[in-house]
Amino acid sequence: MSFLRGSLNYVWCTTSVLGKGATGAVFQGVNKHNGEPVAVKTFNQMSHMRPVDVQMREFEVLQKVSHENIVKLLAIEDDQEGRGKVIVMELCTGGSLFNLLDDPENAYGLPAQEFRLVLEHLTGGMKHLRDNNLVHRDLKPGNIMKFISEDGQTIYKLTDFGAARELEDNQPFVSLYGTEEYLHPDMYERAVLRKSVTKTFTANVDLWSIGVTLFHVATGNLPFRPYGGRKNKETMHLITTKKASGVISGTQTSENGPIEWSRTLPNHCQLSNGLKNLVTPLLAGLLEESQTRMWSFDRFFKEVTNILSKKVLHVFYMNKSSSIEVYVHEDDSLYSFKEHIELQTDVHPESQILLLGNEHLEEKVDINTLIKGYPDTNADSPIFLYSTDNNNVTIPTEPELPKFPSFPNSVSVENDASLAKVGCSVGHECKRRIETYSRMDRLLKVGVEEFIQMLNHSLEALIEKTKHLEEMSAVVSELGETVNLIATNTDCAKDMNVITSKLDSLKHNVVSGIVEPTHQLYKKFVVEESLSAEWKSAIREKKCPCKTRSSERAKHLTERLRDSWQHLLRDRATRSLTYNDEQFHALEKIKVAETGKRIKSLLNDDVRPVVAQIAECLADWYKHAQTIYVKTQYLEKDTKSCGHSLSGIRDHIFQIKEELRNDDGELQVCYNGAYEPAKPPPAQHRESHRDMRSALTNADEINEILRVNAELIQLLQQLGCGDDNLNSIDHSRL
């Protein structure tokens, strides 16, 4: 019996089955002329019993569509053995989305990045169908293929258009197609329960199938699960029709038991909380059974576009040792980003310290920079978040680990393979958690270094500012002494005495309250690196996951579990085992059980406790580090405040000096309403200040005062003082 069949340009082998359905099968084949691998869909007798126009629909639909998210049609040819037409399509080597979800690694759903890809590509394919007034009517993971392009990119594509037809948005149809678990409740009622035979449907029933598919992709399970599965048809219909609006899943765990409803995705789902917050309303909208509340395709496309258009910023929250994903619109601002962070962490925007590359995020990007201008981040290179309101550090609480199965002593090839698959899925979950703890361990250490570097940079900048402050106070003092000489024995003398007193007090505060504490902090934490030494000492003896290569060990153990599962799968396919085969079969069961114990022990006894200890060490360290940070912030504020005070004193001195001039710019004072030349200082000061008084009438010395004033203005600007006071001075009159 030959297994080879062919058409004019293609040949395929009937043992290379890619998939089977009610009306036909898909085989892997090749192009006769260039050897290019292809997928060939053939049709069985049941398909040929359908009306000719129905049989032709799939050909017509495939010839009408052309989109990267729809499997490409290569040819429609006749089977050379006279078995009708065959459809030749591009080969999707990644298999179907159903096969992907059936793998133990994805027992709890696909990772966030892969889910987003499925969402984007599924929506792209559906948008193309609706633009051509087409309805698929059999959407499910089995009809979504994974294509790997030549450059290694993954592209998901819609396939199997046997049930597709042309249909306007509100145009009704009565024919029944689809797979039970993915059918809209109205179609399920008629197709499965054989009720409501007069009911019609619209293209929007595809949206329900999309909702069920996306839930399946996100969680690894169907959203509506009666006890006993597909055979419990009445309960299945009850769950989908009696659920309240907004409910996205209903599960019955015992025979005739209650339904457990949920409006949220399960904890074991691999999607981040940030993505869950966007996907949950989407699922709630798609899984509306009511005709009045059912979404339109336009609404679906709009919501998906909104999700996919957001920029993902990865943040590691040090106080909770947890990675979060923040989804923000590209046109949002920094404050909006901080508000999104607050929604996931409860850390108020004013209490957030955000570091990126050893710098405050506010210094890395301008406060007016839109999110689209922010640097790219990922889980391994995130923005670090610290709370000024919380100096404690903990590790996140995780969902209970699924139970590892126990094998019965007797041999059952069917049951043993199923149990090994469950064990393999638990092993993968252990591996993911070990990888998460390993990343947590690494990021906690990176976060400490980032905080230390940020403090060092702050103290170095503060040292420079205190130098400028000291220089500025000296310049203002010199200016004050100069004007004080002129004001002697004038009405302004009293004001100058008050100013001099304030200036002396301010200079003392600068030295004792700012300069000395700043130099102490700088010496201890920048020069002597005591904060860094304290942290290294705290974790020196810890057997951190990064050091013990826990992720690599978890990967090895998971591969052992998969090898055993594959062995037991082959035994199940054999059905009947020889005595020797049974012995090896029993050994594989032992291997699964022992490997399961090892990977659970690695997680529970080695990795998690050590990371918890590191978090405790970090809590003690952060209390100290946060104290230093707060002191630095206070010194920054005091430095700026002193700069403003010096600016105010300088302005007051200039104001008094202006009062000592007449309209011609001569230094005179006003006595009882009449201008007179400034009186000389008391006799005891005449000799000591004669040169200073004469200098005020000397053009060269006046230019020197202008130079000093310009230097003062520059110093004030370096300290962040506002320009309003600086611009109010008429420098030409000095």
Side-chain angles (χ1 to χ4, degrees):
M1 180 179 179
S2 174
F3 296 109
L4 284 179
R5 288 169 56 186
S7 61
L8 180 63
N9 296 297
Y10 299 91
V11 63
W12 59 94
C13 182
T14 55
T15 58
S16 300
V17 184
L18 298 176
K20 281 190 175 182
T23 58
V26 181
F27 305 99
Q28 183 168 339
V30 294
N31 186 308
K32 291 179 180 179
H33 307 292
N34 58 23
E36 188 71 20
V38 295
V40 181
K41 182 174 182 179
T42 65
F43 298 90
N44 57 24
Q45 192 61 37
M46 183 179 293
S47 172
H48 295 146
M49 292 171 62
R50 297 177 300 168
V52 175
D53 62 326
V54 174
Q55 293 182 47
M56 295 302 296
R57 276 181 189 166
E58 185 168 4
F59 307 140
E60 293 167 356
V61 168
L62 281 170
Q63 290 171 328
K64 188 174 183 180
V65 297
S66 177
H67 192 270
E68 66 173 353
N69 298 126
I70 293 176
V71 171
K72 184 179 180 181
L73 173 68
L74 299 177
I76 297 174
E77 297 191 350
D78 291 311
D79 186 312
Q80 289 180 332
E81 295 182 7
R83 301 186 185 186
K85 293 188 178 296
V86 297
I87 297 174
V88 184
M89 302 165 286
E90 61 182 344
L91 179 65
C92 296
T93 55
S96 74
L97 185 55
F98 177 82
N99 296 140
L100 204 62
L101 292 168
D102 194 46
D103 189 286
E105 183 175 3
N106 302 313
Y108 305 107
L110 297 186
Q113 186 175 356
E114 201 71 13
F115 175 86
R116 280 168 55 89
L117 208 58
V118 172
L119 176 63
E120 178 183 357
H121 295 173
L122 169 58
T123 305
M126 285 305 303
K127 178 74 165 58
H128 183 71
L129 290 182
R130 291 312 303 145
D131 287 345
N132 286 278
N133 294 323
L134 295 169
V135 58
H136 190 283
R137 296 196 294 181
D138 194 16
L139 280 169
K140 58 182 179 179
N143 287 338
I144 301 172
M145 305 301 293
K146 183 177 180 178
F147 180 84
I148 310 297
S149 64
E150 290 182 355
D151 60 359
Q153 292 189 68
T154 294
I155 304 172
Y156 287 97
K157 298 172 178 272
L158 301 181
T159 189
D160 194 349
F161 292 90
R165 60 165 289 185
E166 206 165 327
L167 202 71
E168 300 287 343
D169 278 350
N170 296 314
Q171 182 182 345
F173 68 91
V174 296
S175 52
L176 299 172
Y177 293 93
T179 304
E180 288 187 20
E181 292 85 352
Y182 300 88
L183 282 177
H184 183 277
D186 288 348
M187 293 188 74
Y188 186 92
E189 183 179 33
R190 184 174 162 198
V192 180
L193 301 181
R194 308 296 181 184
K195 298 178 182 178
S196 303
V197 293
T198 59
K199 188 170 288 188
T200 60
F201 319 102
T202 65
N204 286 5
V205 294
D206 267 0
L207 292 170
W208 177 277
S209 302
I210 292 172
V212 176
T213 296
L214 290 176
F215 187 96
H216 192 175
V217 173
T219 67
N221 286 309
L222 293 165
F224 309 113
R225 288 175 290 155
Y227 181 80
R230 175 181 281 203
K231 65 182 181 181
N232 197 344
K233 302 181 187 306
E234 292 289 347
T235 305
M236 178 69 173
H237 186 250
L238 176 72
I239 293 174
T240 55
T241 54
K242 298 303 180 184
K243 77 177 189 68
S245 179
V247 169
I248 61 173
S249 67
T251 308
Q252 186 184 46
T253 56
S254 60
E255 191 171 3
N256 300 320
I259 310 300
E260 297 176 6
W261 307 104
S262 179
R263 296 176 180 271
T264 60
L265 289 164
N267 290 330
H268 66 248
C269 168
Q270 292 194 62
L271 305 190
S272 66
N273 287 333
L275 186 53
K276 282 182 181 179
N277 292 339
L278 297 173
V279 170
T280 302
L282 176 70
L283 293 175
L286 292 171
L287 297 174
E288 280 289 359
E289 175 266 344
S290 168
Q291 295 280 354
T292 56
R293 292 192 297 265
M294 186 185 295
W295 275 16
S296 65
F297 271 100
D298 286 343
R299 173 76 183 276
F300 168 62
F301 295 141
K302 180 180 178 181
E303 294 295 334
V304 172
T305 300
N306 177 52
I307 293 173
L308 297 176
S309 66
K310 291 178 182 287
K311 181 162 184 167
V312 185
L313 291 173
H314 296 262
V315 176
F316 187 75
Y317 181 21
M318 290 287 287
N319 299 82
K320 296 292 185 182
S321 310
S322 56
S323 297
I324 62 175
E325 290 180 355
V326 182
Y327 286 75
V328 281
H329 280 295
E330 291 195 333
D331 293 332
D332 280 349
S333 63
L334 174 62
Y335 193 78
S336 177
F337 174 45
K338 289 188 170 186
E339 287 181 321
H340 279 83
I341 290 175
E342 183 182 15
L343 291 175
Q344 293 195 51
T345 63
D346 293 326
V347 181
H348 191 271
E350 299 301 323
S351 303
Q352 296 173 13
I353 304 173
L354 296 172
L355 300 184
L356 180 61
N358 303 330
E359 294 181 71
H360 282 283
L361 185 62
E362 292 89 334
E363 297 173 1
K364 198 85 171 178
V365 295
D366 185 83
I367 193 169
N368 296 317
T369 301
L370 300 179
I371 295 297
K372 60 186 173 187
Y374 279 38
D376 289 333
T377 60
N378 56 55
D380 293 313
S381 300
I383 296 167
F384 287 89
L385 166 68
Y386 313 76
S387 171
T388 58
D389 291 338
N390 178 14
N391 56 19
N392 195 19
V393 179
T394 58
I395 62 174
T397 303
E398 57 188 17
E400 184 179 356
L401 189 69
K403 291 183 178 179
F404 205 86
S406 297
F407 288 93
N409 292 328
S410 59
V411 172
S412 169
V413 290
E414 187 72 33
N415 191 47
D416 290 345
S418 298
L419 291 175
K421 183 178 180 181
V422 173
C424 196
S425 68
V426 176
H428 276 288
E429 179 63 17
C430 290
K431 173 177 172 283
R432 279 191 292 270
R433 295 190 185 190
I434 290 168
E435 290 171 341
T436 298
Y437 279 118
S438 297
R439 181 184 294 115
M440 193 185 301
D441 168 41
R442 188 183 65 80
L443 291 179
L444 286 173
K445 293 169 183 172
V446 173
V448 166
E449 291 302 318
E450 294 247 340
F451 200 88
I452 290 173
Q453 291 300 318
M454 177 271 295
L455 282 176
N456 288 352
H457 293 160
S458 297
L459 286 169
E460 287 167 355
L462 194 54
I463 284 288
E464 290 301 313
K465 289 180 180 180
T466 56
K467 287 179 182 177
H468 292 320
L469 194 62
E470 287 184 292
E471 293 170 5
M472 187 172 68
S473 63
V475 173
V476 174
S477 295
E478 184 180 345
L479 212 63
E481 290 173 6
T482 303
V483 175
N484 200 26
L485 288 174
I486 307 170
T488 305
N489 291 334
T490 68
D491 289 346
C492 299
K494 186 176 180 180
D495 284 348
M496 280 305 303
N497 288 334
V498 173
I499 289 174
T500 301
S501 176
K502 285 183 178 179
L503 187 57
D504 289 341
S505 176
L506 185 60
K507 286 168 64 179
H508 174 75
N509 289 338
V510 167
V511 174
S512 63
I514 298 177
V515 176
E516 290 179 355
T518 298
H519 279 81
Q520 290 171 2
L521 289 175
Y522 182 82
K523 181 176 182 295
K524 186 173 183 180
F525 300 112
V526 179
V527 178
E528 298 176 357
E529 299 183 340
S530 64
L531 201 58
S532 181
E534 179 185 331
W535 170 247
K536 290 176 182 176
S537 175
I539 63 169
R540 183 172 292 119
E541 303 300 324
K542 299 291 184 293
K543 294 182 179 180
C544 307
C546 293
K547 292 180 182 177
T548 58
R549 296 179 59 81
S550 298
S551 293
E552 289 76 11
R553 292 163 64 192
K555 180 181 178 182
H556 170 71
L557 293 172
T558 307
E559 288 172 351
R560 281 172 57 92
L561 285 171
R562 290 187 70 90
D563 286 344
S564 295
W565 168 56
Q566 291 293 326
H567 184 111
L568 296 179
L569 272 182
R570 289 192 294 272
D571 286 350
R572 184 172 70 181
T574 303
R575 294 291 178 181
S576 178
L577 302 179
T578 65
Y579 174 79
N580 288 335
D581 288 338
E582 276 196 14
Q583 301 309 303
F584 282 110
H585 183 95
L587 288 173
E588 289 297 337
K589 289 164 59 176
I590 295 172
K591 180 180 170 183
V592 170
E594 291 302 314
T595 307
K597 289 178 183 178
R598 287 179 61 187
I599 197 167
K600 285 197 299 179
S601 176
L602 178 62
L603 170 64
N604 296 326
D605 301 334
D606 296 346
V607 174
R608 186 192 291 123
V610 172
V611 177
Q613 291 170 14
I614 291 171
E616 289 177 7
C617 294
L618 180 56
D620 295 334
W621 180 89
Y622 186 58
K623 289 180 178 69
H624 187 198
Q626 192 185 57
T627 302
I628 301 164
Y629 175 79
V630 171
K631 286 181 180 178
T632 305
Q633 292 296 298
Y634 278 130
L635 288 170
E636 287 270 5
K637 291 178 182 177
D638 290 346
T639 301
K640 196 169 186 178
S641 176
C642 284
H644 281 294
S645 297
L646 283 170
S647 176
I649 290 173
R650 182 223 45 199
D651 290 348
H652 201 172
I653 292 172
F654 283 151
Q655 181 182 352
I656 292 172
K657 190 171 182 179
E658 292 305 306
E659 293 175 9
L660 297 173
R661 297 182 185 276
N662 60 19
D663 291 340
D664 296 326
E666 297 173 346
L667 290 168
Q668 292 189 11
V669 293
C670 181
Y671 291 102
N672 299 321
Y675 281 100
E676 299 176 9
K679 292 182 179 181
Q684 64 268 31
H685 297 301
R686 287 175 188 169
E687 290 299 322
S688 60
H689 295 317
R690 182 176 291 126
D691 293 337
M692 182 65 77
R693 293 201 309 275
S694 63
L696 292 170
T697 61
N698 185 287
D700 291 338
E701 293 302 323
I702 290 174
N703 287 334
E704 177 63 16
I705 292 174
L706 286 170
R707 184 195 66 75
V708 172
N709 181 55
E711 182 181 336
L712 172 64
I713 292 169
Q714 183 181 6
L715 290 168
L716 286 166
Q717 289 173 332
Q718 288 174 342
L719 282 165
C721 297
D723 292 333
D724 294 341
N725 290 333
L726 301 178
N727 294 331
S728 66
I729 300 165
D730 185 358
H731 305 295
S732 65
R733 300 190 62 191
L734 294 178

